[in-house]
């Protein structure tokens, strides 16, 4: 079973988006969701479904492990 304490997708989405200088709206358009959905993911109000996790990893060209698990901003 996964240790959820190491899961930090919301922080990693924020870090990646900022690293690539994208707004929530820009990422939302790439994924075909609303910017409110991105906001909910980043605030931890909800988590993206698997299809979006895969799309985010592909969009930013990062491994799933880097996206899902807690890392430092330097690792992303």
């Amino acid at each position: 079973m996964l240790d959820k304490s190491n899961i930090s997708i919301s922080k990693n989405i924020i870090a990646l988006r900022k690293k690539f200088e994208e707004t929530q709206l820009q990422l939302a358009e790439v994924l075909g969701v609303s910017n409110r959905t991105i906001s909910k993911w980043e605030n931890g109000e909800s988590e993206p479904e698997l299809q979006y996790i895969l799309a985010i990893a592909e969009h930013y060209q990062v491994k799933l492990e880097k996206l899902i698990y807690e890392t430092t901003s330097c690792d992303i």
Side-chain angles (χ1 to χ4, degrees), residues 37-53:
T37 298
I38 302 297
S39 177
K40 285 182 178 182
W41 294 344
E42 291 184 354
N43 290 321
E45 294 174 33
S46 66
E47 291 183 352
E49 294 176 9
L50 181 58
Q51 68 188 29
Y52 296 116
I53 294 171

Side-chain angles (χ1 to χ4, degrees), residues 3-50:
D3 178 8
K4 284 202 160 212
S5 65
N6 290 333
I7 296 176
S8 186
I9 194 166
S10 60
K11 291 177 186 175
N12 292 338
I13 292 171
I14 294 167
L16 284 164
R17 196 172 50 72
K18 289 183 178 188
K19 178 180 179 180
F20 287 88
E21 299 179 351
E22 282 189 321
T23 65
Q24 288 180 342
L25 182 58
Q26 290 170 319
L27 179 56
E29 288 173 350
V30 167
L31 299 176
V33 299
S34 71
N35 61 319
R36 178 70 183 129
T37 298
I38 302 297
S39 177
K40 285 182 178 182
W41 294 344
E42 291 184 354
N43 290 321
E45 294 174 33
S46 66
E47 291 183 352
E49 294 176 9
L50 181 58

